[in-house]
Amino acid sequence: MPLFSRRQWLAGAIAAPALLSIGAKAGSAAAEGPFTLGVASGDPEPDGVVLWTRLAPRPLEGDGGMQPHDVPVRWEVAEDERFARIVRFGNAPAEARWGHSVHVEVSGLAPARSYFYRFIANGIASPVGRTRTAPAPGAPVDRLRICYGSCQKYEVGYYAAWRHAVEDDPDLILFVGDYIYEGAPSPGDVRMHLNPEPFDIAGYRVRYATYKLDALLQAAHATAPWAVTWDDHEVANDYANDLDEHNGERAPFLLRRAAAYQAYWEHMPLRRRAMPHGAAMRLYRTLDWGSLAQFQIVDDRQYRSGHPCQPADLLPAHKKYLPLVADCAERHDPGRTILGSTQEAWLHQALGGSRAQWNLLTQQTLMTSYAQPDTDHPEKGADLYSVDSWGGYPAARERILRRWRDAATPNPLVLSGDIHSFAAADMADPDEAKRIVASEFVGGSITSLYHDATFKQNMMQNPGFHFAENEARGYGRMDLTQRRCEVAFRGLSNARDPDSAISTIAAFTVEAGRPGMSLA
Ligand SMILES: [Fe+2]
């Protein structure tokens, strides 16, 4: 048994910033030596987790300040945070070709319990992280607490949301995209990107380092395992497969995508099976939490069809695509895909095979059908559709809704990000509009802003929407038991203040076996 409960350890961590610089003000962590970017763990299984770090004594340089050869790093996993009872240890290479990142797949641990871990390189110990293994396959689980976030643009806010997520003491943290933003530095916000817009591996590494130097973000990684997926800004705004938003040449964009995917791998606690091969990286996977939950974590960027309903001259002229379009036949083409045929077949198989009580489609963009009036041309009386989200791929969305229904997937839910807003909606059966199949919870943005003041009223005019809020930043918190799912939207009072207070701005419950949410 551990000496400390998880909550006692958490309290100690806050009181002892040397252990885990969580008590620090916002800004750069003051780490010396090679562990400037902190530690992380991820993708828990019943017998182990991935442990991550990256050696970068000068993190704002493209090579991290490291020589171009591999370095052995010792890792240790213990039952106690003072490492008196080490249960697993070993050496792993920090490989120069992967930016001296370290990904250790620890096995042989006991299910459903907390562990502590650290790395040692050249006699210097890293900060200590805490992680947790998943319950044994099919094991009964009383409760699971998840915090999930997205869209943490560095320049427009501090990471107070992560401070509060740490205090919520989640078992698991999910990140559903826009971990970094790729844009050039823009003056006038609370802080600035430290390098120009990245296009190569050195540039993306510096961009990740900029974000990962933040003490509050490091603390969130050190408090619980993460399971991550990406959205567009880990590469470039609104990209679709091999096309950037300007419909540029595909070959140079794929080189950029390869650099961005490599940097993503180098900075995330992912298993080796996710390691990229050129511009390809298999990110989609399931994560099981005993009999209670299965997460189907998907990637709706890498394999998607291009944006539909575009004027014919945009693509050949390499002009920027139109994100909001009037409806057209192409949008409904059943041949269009947002997941790609291989991933979609894999997902449908997972949805048919899962016996978990809750099934959480963990993904990046708004899934519920959404349209807004064309305010520039009110005389047309037509709606506009946002084609960068599932709105560009309605047939693919309907295939999943029917799959949930036909396979009787237990209690499907959707976790989303991307729109820099909180939103909650019930999704109907495409063949029977009164029958609810799943509920979607968009968990706000950690910092990123939403600029359209008409968003809230537009969204609430769409069928199924119960809540929308685009003024508050924050994250989503979900508590699952066998009988109930409780969701709290946690909204900061001011994301420009690293010490901002937070409150629950809306809360929802879904009862197992009864599709559809109610406001708590
Ligand atoms: Fe975003």
Side-chain angles (χ1 to χ4, degrees):
M1 289 293 292
L3 281 176
F4 293 85
S5 74
R6 300 177 67 221
R7 197 164 283 284
Q8 284 171 318
W9 180 82
L10 189 70
I14 289 170
L19 183 65
L20 220 195
S21 45
I22 191 172
K25 298 289 277 185
S28 294
E32 297 284 331
F35 297 108
T36 55
L37 303 179
V39 298
S41 68
D43 281 16
E45 290 184 355
D47 71 336
V49 294
V50 182
L51 307 180
W52 172 92
T53 193
R54 182 181 160 228
L55 306 184
R58 294 193 297 278
L60 299 178
E61 298 176 11
D63 61 4
M66 297 290 291
Q67 299 294 316
H69 51 74
D70 298 354
V71 176
V73 178
R74 178 179 166 87
W75 56 269
E76 298 177 340
V77 175
E79 292 178 346
D80 63 306
E81 93 245 40
R82 301 192 187 286
F83 291 82
R85 295 189 308 283
I86 293 173
V87 292
R88 287 285 181 277
F89 62 92
N91 284 289
E95 293 179 76
R97 72 167 298 238
W98 297 111
H100 294 95
S101 60
V102 181
H103 298 77
V104 179
E105 294 188 47
V106 181
S107 59
L109 303 179
R113 63 157 295 167
S114 295
Y115 291 94
F116 300 87
Y117 62 94
R118 66 182 176 190
F119 301 90
I120 299 166
N122 292 329
I124 299 171
S126 73
V128 173
R130 182 185 59 167
T131 191
R132 187 164 185 83
T133 49
V141 179
D142 291 339
R143 192 170 197 89
L144 167 62
R145 168 165 282 191
I146 305 150
C147 290
Y148 67 104
S150 63
C151 298
Q152 53 182 10
K153 189 173 185 185
Y154 179 83
E155 298 186 303
V156 295
Y158 292 107
Y159 295 151
W162 288 127
R163 181 196 303 281
H164 293 287
V166 168
E167 288 170 359
D168 282 341
D169 197 17
D171 300 294
L172 179 67
I173 293 176
L174 302 171
F175 197 84
V176 292
D178 291 356
Y179 191 98
I180 60 162
Y181 281 72
E182 84 287 7
S186 80
D189 286 315
V190 300
R191 48 188 179 174
M192 264 169 66
H193 285 146
L194 302 175
N195 65 327
E197 179 170 349
F199 292 89
D200 60 10
I201 182 62
Y204 280 107
R205 282 177 183 159
V206 173
R207 187 56 57 93
Y208 277 96
T210 303
Y211 282 65
K212 283 188 156 280
L213 285 168
D214 186 281
L216 296 172
L217 180 57
Q218 287 193 15
H221 277 292
T223 202
W226 285 42
V228 299
T229 187
W230 55 34
D231 193 20
D232 54 335
H233 287 287
E234 284 86 352
V235 181
N237 184 51
D238 286 2
Y239 84 94
N241 195 326
D242 57 358
L243 269 185
D244 69 14
E245 64 175 334
H246 302 291
N247 296 306
E249 296 293 342
R250 295 169 197 262
F253 182 71
L254 283 175
L255 289 176
R256 183 184 191 183
R257 194 177 96 175
Y261 285 8
Q262 178 176 343
Y264 188 76
W265 158 261
E266 290 176 355
H267 292 88
M268 293 295 141
L270 289 166
R271 292 183 180 272
R272 290 187 85 79
R273 60 178 176 250
M275 187 180 262
H277 301 276
M281 181 165 166
R282 183 178 158 162
L283 198 54
Y284 61 87
R285 63 206 186 275
T286 54
L287 191 157
D288 291 294
W289 208 264
S291 64
L292 185 61
Q294 182 179 83
F295 301 86
Q296 295 97 23
I297 303 167
V298 303
D299 167 7
D300 81 14
R301 285 284 163 194
Q302 186 174 181
Y303 315 103
R304 60 163 68 185
S305 307
H307 298 116
C309 314
Q310 301 292 309
D313 61 324
L314 294 193
L315 193 69
H318 300 321
K319 290 183 186 164
K320 187 178 187 305
Y321 89 106
L322 301 182
L324 277 170
V325 298
D327 207 0
C328 75
E330 184 192 6
R331 197 172 74 92
H332 301 275
D333 180 350
R336 292 177 48 72
T337 180
I338 189 169
L339 299 178
S341 55
T342 304
Q343 180 180 202
E344 186 173 315
W346 164 88
L347 176 64
H348 285 217
Q349 188 160 21
L351 298 177
S354 173
R355 284 169 291 162
Q357 176 73 329
W358 300 93
N359 285 276
L360 296 105
L361 184 60
T362 305
Q363 56 90 49
Q364 31 288 110
T365 57
L366 178 70
M367 190 170 184
T368 304
S369 179
Y370 165 73
Q372 66 184 60
D374 184 355
T375 49
D376 291 341
H377 304 95
E379 73 285 358
K380 291 184 183 170
D383 280 340
L384 299 179
Y385 295 86
S386 167
V387 292
D388 191 55
S389 66
W390 288 79
Y393 309 83
R397 173 175 56 215
E398 291 176 7
R399 288 194 292 271
I400 293 177
L401 284 159
R402 292 192 179 99
R403 180 61 176 162
W404 277 325
R405 177 196 69 195
D406 295 343
T409 307
N411 300 302
L413 301 172
V414 184
L415 300 178
S416 322
D418 180 48
I419 55 174
H420 304 179
S421 308
F422 292 99
D426 289 326
M427 301 174 71
D429 185 332
D431 306 310
E432 192 183 338
K434 287 203 167 89
R435 176 188 161 129
I436 297 168
V437 176
S439 297
E440 177 172 29
F441 296 99
V442 187
S445 65
I446 298 292
T447 55
S448 304
L449 303 174
Y450 193 95
H451 297 290
D452 182 354
T454 62
F455 164 84
K456 202 180 339 186
Q457 71 191 67
N458 287 340
M459 190 149 268
M460 294 302 285
Q461 284 168 6
N462 279 264
F465 281 84
H466 291 267
F467 182 81
E469 177 54 72
N470 58 308
E471 297 292 339
R473 313 274 71 84
Y475 62 94
R477 187 179 70 202
M478 178 177 279
D479 288 295
L480 292 173
T481 65
Q482 285 290 330
R483 295 178 57 181
R484 184 172 295 143
C485 165
E486 297 177 345
V487 177
F489 286 164
R490 305 280 289 156
L492 296 166
S493 47
N494 178 11
R496 300 169 72 88
D497 174 6
D499 298 316
S500 172
I502 203 160
S503 62
T504 295
I505 61 170
F508 312 86
T509 60
V510 180
E511 304 287 342
R514 292 176 50 197
M517 67 181 73
S518 53
L519 269 76

